Amino acid sequence: MGKSETAGPEIVTPGCEWQMPQGGIEETEDIVEAAIRELWEETAVKTIRLLAVTDTWWTYDFPRPYEPTGHKLDPYRGQKQKWVAFRFAGDAGEIDITASHTGEPQEFFDWCWMQKTEALQATVPFKRHQYQRVFEAFEDYLS
């Protein structure tokens, strides 16, 4: 989806800032509701069609050493994720990464569509295995 900066344990390697929208699940949400909310918060995208959800939870560790910064993820060693694939059915004018629609800080500072090989090369090394799994899980939907 786009380039991101972080103050937390997901240290961004220069030249490898690309990542897909992601985020936490509220206690009252299921995985699809959370994915729809996070996608909207980070991109303003609402014109989507659900394609698939991964069957299991996948984990990855944050890179070490890490000096705590006060970020909400400081206490954690990594993340546990399920992934949701949507088909974007809108047009590019719908995408707004400024987060002005949420009142929250902007998470992405640029966006573009990429082929999976380009995306993997532009992703921080410690997330590449996770993203490769995502692309394999949703291979039938990639074009």
Side-chain angles (χ1 to χ4, degrees), residues 8-75:
E10 292 196 291
I11 299 163
V12 174
T13 305
C16 300
E17 299 93 355
W18 190 89
Q19 69 173 352
M20 291 184 266
Q22 66 180 47
I25 301 173
E26 305 294 333
E27 287 186 31
T28 59
E29 295 176 314
D30 68 24
I31 186 70
V32 174
E33 291 169 330
I36 291 169
R37 177 185 50 77
E38 286 289 342
L39 181 64
W40 177 79
E41 287 176 0
E42 296 178 10
T43 69
V45 167
K46 286 189 167 191
T47 310
I48 55 174
R49 185 170 48 93
L50 177 65
L51 299 175
V53 179
T54 56
D55 293 333
T56 59
W57 292 91
W58 302 339
T59 61
Y60 69 89
D61 290 340
F62 296 137
R64 297 289 181 210
Y66 169 69
E67 295 293 325
T69 64
H71 190 275
K72 65 183 178 183
L73 295 178
D74 280 352

Side-chain angles (χ1 to χ4, degrees), residues 16 26 33 39 48 52 55 67 74 76 88 93 95 97 100-101 106 110 114 124-125 133 135:
C16 300
E26 305 294 333
E33 291 169 330
L39 181 64
I48 55 174
D55 293 333
E67 295 293 325
D74 280 352
Y76 302 99
F88 178 51
I95 300 169
I97 59 170
S100 60
H101 57 286
Q106 182 173 344
D110 195 7
M114 287 187 175
V124 291
R133 290 180 76 182
F135 293 138

